[in-house]
Amino acid sequence: MVETLGEIQINDVQKIYPADGLGAKTTEAIHHVSATIHPGEFVALIGPSGCGKSTLLRILAGLDVPTEGTVIVDGNQIAGPSRERGLVFQDATLYPWLTIAENVRFGLKLDHQKDTDAKVQEFIDLVGLTGFEEQYPSQLSGGMQQRVAIARALINYPKILLFDEPFGALDAFTRMRLHDQLINIWQKRKLTMVIVTHDVEEAVYLADRVFTMTPRPAILKEIVPVNLPHPRDRNSPEFIALKEKVLGILNFKA
Amino acid sequence: MTETSNLSEEEAPQIEAIRAFFAPAAIFLTLIAQLILPKAAAVTAKSLPWYTDVLLVALVITVALALYHLFTGKAQGFVYKSYFIGGVFLVLGLYNLVTLKFALINPLFFPSPESILNVIVKDWAFLLKCLGYSTRLLLTGLAFGITTGLITGVLIGWYANWSYWLSPVVKLFGPIPSTAFIPVALSAFATSFQASVFLIALSTWFPITILTNSGIINVKKEFFEVADTMGASDAQKIFRVAIPGALPDIFVGIFNGICSSFITLMTAEMIGVKYGIGWYINWQRQIMGYANVYAGLLVIAVSFSLLITIFFKIRDHFLRWQKGIIQW
């Protein structure tokens, strides 16, 4: 891992869902979005529900195909899901029939890798779950499950890690603790991260740049750079000013 | 298990001691009735010692356990079961009164406990041989049924093309009780053994196919998407996500399949197959050997229950990650 890549070019991406049923109209989930995400950058996609942020993330993951436009990752147009782009969902979606260690090992098994014990342990330690290796997901709290999901994605050394509202279902304290852990991991592993969220504070706390998106039309309205060093102070005037700026763009201020 | 452990906390020691001695007391009562009361005049068969022997052995064991509990406080499992064990022997004693002692019901069709036990004592080798034949037939049929059921279930659940062609066939032929195929099977196969294997496999195949299929369909979509983002192939998604995810349903299907295989086994043996427990029961019924019929039923009850217990042990091992599964 000498050189970290993970550049994403989003070129005029449009996504239209066909009408489902008689008399129904087609839905435009994304209305022509173009942007570039730099290698090693942390980007937050934020906006109210229906703005297409999750659809855009699924397109980046390769799980959805844009109706028009392309996504280029490190010079190659994406054609489907790949090990280079990990994904963490809102609920951890750990495999309940596998232990924590087996969940983390899952990607290595798919890749037919042998002698993976040390590596699995390394990533379990990385997310601070040492001692929970032989537990089943149902025995862990939501926050712990989400950390396992992050370890499970990281172990495949993806260039890009995508998060779909990963902390939405967690309580505020767990969420703040996970924010710091995530920043820690991101600084250590220097990979590109894209997080979808509807929490403005989360976006400003984590991201280098906040992509604000609006529904009807579902467009990328404005990109807000966050030039604050980590760890960020949630109560500093600069932080609050940035939060208010994002809220203003999303039309939540008078 | 939790019920047993709660026992000592909830009940006072005296009540617990009474509970422990309920079973021996009930067995003692049953034994006294057997020893004191004379045989009914209508019962012509000569007296046999087996029932008395069983009661004696049971009495010795339960008294020993109750005393063991009294002095050490252990054998909580026995204390918990004590009421039930006592109840069983009381019912058995009542049946003994109704048959052997007072002949209130026709002794020809309702033989006394001692004559049923006599069959097991005298005929155990042949009963065991019949059980062996039944087991061989059942397990062969189950092996074919479970294998084919899993294969069709996975094919239909995973591949749209297979579902298109196979689903209607499954829906048309599956609900037919496999015993309705007996005439067809007997003429289509060279031996009645093969025909029975086919029928047992058929009755097992259907529920397993249906539940494997629906199990796979109900696996969360995100589980496959996560596998996709880790570069999983189709086969890896089937064997590492779809089948493990569908396993709880698959086991329900296998359970249903085993239950209907019992029905098919008995029917097949009563109709065509030589030897086997079902055949034994039917043969004894024809020659009015009702004590033998009951003995055969006893053998079936014990062995089928054992088979289901083994099955549930296997299932519990595979589904140990799951909470709150059906208890057996």
Side-chain angles (χ1 to χ4, degrees):
Chain A
M1 304 294 288
V2 188
E3 194 186 2
T4 305
L5 291 170
E7 188 196 50
I8 310 172
Q9 281 177 282
I10 304 164
N11 298 323
D12 203 26
V13 161
Q14 188 192 22
K15 178 73 185 178
I16 296 171
Y17 286 111
D20 51 349
L22 207 65
K25 283 181 185 163
T26 56
T27 335
E28 189 175 39
I30 301 171
H31 178 86
H32 300 289
V33 166
S34 294
T36 301
I37 297 168
H38 308 301
E41 194 180 22
F42 203 142
V43 163
L45 305 179
I46 192 164
S49 55
C51 73
K53 57 189 190 301
S54 284
T55 308
L56 184 57
L57 193 82
R58 288 178 61 83
I59 290 173
L60 299 186
L63 295 171
D64 268 354
V65 181
T67 314
E68 265 178 53
T70 53
V71 177
I72 315 276
V73 172
D74 295 332
N76 302 312
Q77 185 176 336
I78 64 171
S82 130
R83 287 173 72 84
E84 294 183 347
R85 279 164 280 124
L87 180 60
V88 176
F89 287 95
Q90 173 165 7
D91 50 341
T93 60
L94 301 177
Y95 298 114
W97 55 88
L98 298 177
T99 61
I100 299 314
E102 292 309 313
N103 264 288
V104 173
R105 200 193 310 273
F106 193 79
L108 305 181
K109 276 243 173 112
L110 295 183
D111 199 34
H112 307 291
Q113 293 185 25
K114 299 275 188 299
D115 302 319
T116 49
D117 286 352
K119 209 166 165 190
V120 168
Q121 196 59 54
E122 178 196 336
F123 281 85
I124 289 175
D125 295 346
L126 178 73
V127 294
L129 285 171
T130 318
F132 291 93
E133 293 82 2
E134 298 311 313
Q135 306 262 41
Y136 285 98
S138 59
Q139 298 169 287
L140 267 57
S141 71
M144 290 162 114
Q145 291 189 21
Q146 205 54 277
R147 275 142 69 189
V148 178
I150 292 168
R152 180 176 64 174
L154 280 172
I155 203 166
N156 305 309
Y157 293 108
K159 294 179 190 169
I160 297 160
L161 197 47
L162 308 163
F163 297 87
D164 193 357
E165 301 187 25
F167 311 126
L170 306 177
D171 66 89
F173 297 109
T174 309
R175 203 182 311 158
M176 286 197 280
R177 209 164 41 240
L178 286 183
H179 287 163
D180 290 334
Q181 280 196 341
L182 190 59
I183 288 297
N184 211 329
I185 290 167
W186 172 66
Q187 287 173 332
K188 264 190 220 162
R189 310 213 74 92
K190 298 181 171 57
L191 67 169
T192 310
M193 287 192 176
V194 181
I195 184 170
V196 159
T197 178
H198 49 237
D199 179 348
V200 177
E201 186 175 298
E202 182 168 273
V204 175
Y205 190 80
L206 295 172
D208 294 324
R209 288 190 296 160
V210 177
F211 288 25
T212 57
M213 298 179 72
T214 54
R216 288 173 296 278
I219 54 162
L220 173 57
K221 198 161 185 196
E222 199 176 323
I223 295 173
V224 181
V226 184
N227 293 315
L228 300 173
H230 289 286
R232 289 173 183 168
D233 180 357
R234 293 174 202 262
N235 295 315
S236 71
E238 298 90 341
F239 191 91
I240 292 165
L242 278 165
K243 261 170 68 178
E244 287 187 352
K245 184 177 180 187
V246 172
L247 282 169
I249 296 164
L250 297 172
N251 270 329
F252 279 103
K253 231 169 77 173
Chain B
M1 283 198 295
T2 47
E3 288 165 300
T4 5
S5 57
N6 287 338
L7 193 73
S8 52
E9 291 161 21
E10 285 170 7
E11 293 190 27
Q14 302 94 312
I15 299 175
E16 219 182 284
I18 293 170
R19 183 170 187 158
F21 279 97
F22 180 80
I27 294 167
F28 184 69
L29 202 68
T30 315
L31 183 62
I32 292 297
Q34 163 71 356
L35 293 176
I36 290 176
L37 294 171
K39 211 167 69 166
V43 180
T44 50
K46 69 174 169 61
S47 292
L48 297 156
W50 316 120
Y51 175 62
T52 317
D53 290 353
V54 165
L55 291 181
L56 274 170
V57 169
L59 186 62
V60 169
I61 293 172
T62 49
V63 165
L65 281 169
L67 287 174
Y68 178 66
H69 170 74
L70 198 65
F71 291 115
T72 64
K74 290 179 188 166
Q76 288 287 344
F78 164 72
V79 178
Y80 175 67
K81 287 274 187 208
S82 178
Y83 287 153
F84 180 76
I85 295 167
V88 167
F89 277 96
L90 286 179
V91 170
L92 189 63
L94 195 67
Y95 180 72
N96 192 44
L97 293 185
V98 167
T99 52
L100 185 72
K101 300 300 182 186
F102 299 113
L104 296 178
I105 45 180
N106 190 339
L108 186 62
F109 297 116
F110 298 98
S112 64
E114 61 184 34
S115 51
I116 296 172
L117 285 170
N118 187 49
V119 174
I120 293 176
V121 172
K122 292 270 143 61
D123 226 7
W124 67 269
F126 190 62
L127 277 168
L128 209 63
K129 198 177 164 190
C130 284
L131 185 64
Y133 275 106
S134 291
T135 310
R136 189 173 66 125
L137 180 54
L138 185 72
L139 292 186
T140 315
L142 278 178
F144 278 109
I146 291 172
T147 315
T148 51
L150 284 175
I151 292 171
T152 46
V154 169
L155 289 176
I156 294 173
W158 188 259
Y159 296 104
N161 281 339
W162 282 96
S163 177
Y164 176 84
W165 290 106
L166 273 185
S167 275
V169 180
V170 173
K171 282 175 187 161
L172 187 66
F173 288 99
I176 303 173
S178 66
T179 44
F181 284 108
I182 286 176
V184 182
L186 286 177
S187 54
F189 288 90
T191 66
S192 61
F193 180 82
Q194 289 172 0
S196 303
V197 166
F198 167 77
L199 293 171
I200 291 165
L202 185 67
S203 61
T204 320
W205 164 80
F206 176 59
I208 295 175
T209 300
I210 293 295
L211 276 137
T212 303
N213 172 36
S214 75
I216 285 178
I217 287 168
N218 288 326
V219 173
K220 273 207 306 201
K221 186 174 73 82
E222 287 83 2
F223 285 161
F224 296 113
E225 293 183 341
V226 167
D228 274 330
T229 61
M230 294 195 257
S233 67
D234 236 32
Q236 284 176 325
K237 277 189 277 183
I238 290 175
F239 287 104
R240 293 194 181 274
V241 183
I243 292 178
L247 216 51
D249 286 319
I250 291 175
F251 274 111
V252 174
I254 295 176
F255 175 66
N256 291 346
I258 289 176
C259 290
S260 52
S261 77
F262 290 162
I263 300 170
T264 313
L265 173 72
M266 285 301 118
T267 316
E269 287 186 341
M270 288 183 184
I271 284 182
V273 192
K274 270 274 183 202
Y275 301 119
I277 285 290
W279 165 85
Y280 180 86
I281 289 174
N282 199 40
W283 167 52
Q284 290 298 333
R285 183 187 61 82
Q286 284 163 354
I287 60 170
M288 301 300 275
Y290 272 85
N292 300 61
V293 170
Y294 281 88
L297 286 173
L298 209 61
V299 170
I300 290 175
V302 170
S303 46
F304 282 7
S305 185
L306 190 71
L307 191 66
I308 297 280
T309 304
I310 293 169
F311 164 76
F312 271 84
K313 285 267 177 275
I314 295 171
R315 183 202 63 160
D316 289 348
H317 172 77
F318 278 101
L319 300 187
R320 60 191 179 281
W321 51 274
Q322 229 192 7
K323 286 179 182 171
I325 44 175
I326 313 161
Q327 299 296 314
W328 166 249

